[in-house]
Amino acid sequence: MKYSNKDQHLNELLKKLNNSIEWDKQRQQKVKNNLYTIIRQHSSSKKRKAEDRLKHLSPVISTLLLIFIATILISVLSTPQKDFTSSINNKFNEQQHSIIISNEQNEQIRNIREQGFVLAIPKSAPKPNIELENIIHRNNEDNNYVYTQFSSNDNELFSILQEAINNKRQAERTIENYTEQLEIQGLTVYFKESEVQHKIFLMTDNYSVEISSHYLSKEDLVKILESVQLEKLVE
């Protein structure tokens, strides 16, 4: 490509200008200092703007925080407070699980009751998936009793022996073997434990009820007995 006279003349002028510029260390440092000054001024300006925005937002944030705290306090104060006994009852209800009873077993229970035996069957237990496994009824001149077994995962968990009292003194002698006295539904019950078994015993004028278990604690046995309608045993 060929250049015109004008282009050649411009190039010569630029070369002269470039040669006339002095770019020594002193000039470089001066330019550098000017750049630093401009950067610091810009940073300070941004910081002041951020602080100003924060000052304007602080009252708003404080107000929102106070509203949030007030809302929580109002909610807590307006909620009905439950007493300690109610809390314990709710905990008890949450821990109880219905006992599984088949239709055939319900029919057997009805037959026993129709014979005049006031059978005490617990409605619930403190462990899940408990089934009424077996019902044995013996009624003869010497004995009238019902023995029930309750299992969990095919293993016997506890059993109940309920007897119609023929000999009051004999039933009272059974109590002498128990070491601790409790109260359930206004009735006196008795508890004892051995190395292998826990038992809880109730006696009324007409029946004795003994719950036994190798696995359950005293508290568990109490909960099982509490799920029985005990008032029917004293009618």
Side-chain angles (χ1 to χ4, degrees):
M1 179 181 293
K2 294 182 178 181
Y3 294 97
S4 64
N5 293 331
K6 291 183 179 181
D7 292 335
Q8 291 178 353
H9 180 66
L10 179 61
N11 288 334
E12 290 177 358
L13 291 175
L14 290 173
K15 287 180 181 180
K16 291 180 180 180
L17 179 63
N18 184 56
N19 294 330
S20 65
I21 294 176
E22 295 182 1
W23 190 249
D24 56 11
K25 291 185 178 180
Q26 184 177 359
R27 186 174 181 83
Q28 292 177 16
Q29 186 63 42
K30 185 176 180 180
V31 172
K32 194 180 295 184
N33 291 338
N34 289 336
L35 288 173
Y36 286 153
T37 300
I38 293 171
I39 292 171
R40 283 197 297 270
Q41 289 175 349
H42 181 68
S43 299
S44 299
S45 177
K46 289 179 65 177
K47 184 177 180 181
R48 284 195 300 272
K49 288 180 180 178
E51 290 176 348
D52 291 340
R53 283 197 296 268
L54 185 60
K55 288 179 181 178
H56 288 301
L57 289 175
S58 293
V60 177
I61 294 173
S62 300
T63 302
L64 292 175
L65 184 60
L66 288 173
I67 293 173
F68 177 72
I69 295 173
T71 303
I72 293 176
L73 290 174
I74 292 172
S75 176
V76 171
L77 293 174
S78 63
T79 302
Q81 299 298 311
K82 299 181 180 179
D83 58 22
F84 181 74
T85 304
S86 177
S87 298
I88 292 297
N89 290 336
N90 289 338
K91 185 177 180 180
F92 167 77
N93 291 332
E94 291 174 358
Q95 291 178 340
Q96 291 296 90
H97 303 271
S98 297
I99 293 175
I100 302 170
I101 303 176
S102 68
N103 293 333
E104 182 180 351
Q105 291 166 337
N106 276 320
E107 183 65 27
Q108 191 175 356
I109 291 171
R110 280 194 293 270
N111 291 335
I112 294 172
R113 288 172 174 169
E114 286 174 359
Q115 296 177 37
F117 192 98
V118 183
L119 182 58
I121 295 292
K123 295 180 179 179
S124 57
K127 308 292 182 183
N129 303 320
I130 295 179
E131 301 179 15
L132 174 55
E133 182 179 1
N134 198 13
I135 303 175
I136 300 173
H137 183 206
R138 294 288 182 268
N139 186 9
N140 52 47
E141 294 181 358
D142 298 323
N143 295 296
N144 184 10
Y145 70 86
V146 175
Y147 180 73
T148 50
Q149 295 173 299
F150 299 81
S151 64
S152 177
N153 298 322
D154 297 327
N155 294 316
E156 182 180 321
L157 191 61
F158 67 94
S159 62
I160 300 178
L161 175 62
Q162 181 181 349
E163 293 186 83
I165 295 177
N166 295 326
N167 188 329
K168 185 79 172 187
R169 179 54 190 155
Q170 182 178 353
E172 289 174 349
R173 281 200 297 270
T174 303
I175 295 175
E176 296 172 0
N177 298 322
Y178 285 76
T179 57
E180 185 177 351
Q181 183 173 315
L182 307 169
E183 183 176 317
I184 298 177
Q185 297 182 26
L187 300 175
T188 301
V189 299
Y190 303 88
F191 172 78
K192 73 174 180 178
E193 62 178 322
S194 64
E195 294 180 356
V196 295
Q197 198 174 43
H198 289 167
K199 292 186 177 183
I200 194 166
F201 182 81
L202 165 68
M203 186 182 71
T204 67
D205 290 337
N206 301 316
Y207 296 96
S208 65
V209 178
E210 184 179 64
I211 305 177
S212 306
S213 176
H214 296 281
Y215 308 103
L216 298 180
S217 65
K218 177 180 72 174
E219 291 74 19
D220 291 335
L221 296 182
V222 167
K223 290 175 183 178
I224 291 170
L225 189 57
E226 284 177 336
S227 72
V228 177
Q229 291 182 309
L230 300 181
E231 69 274 6
K232 293 185 177 298
L233 302 180
V234 296
E235 291 178 351

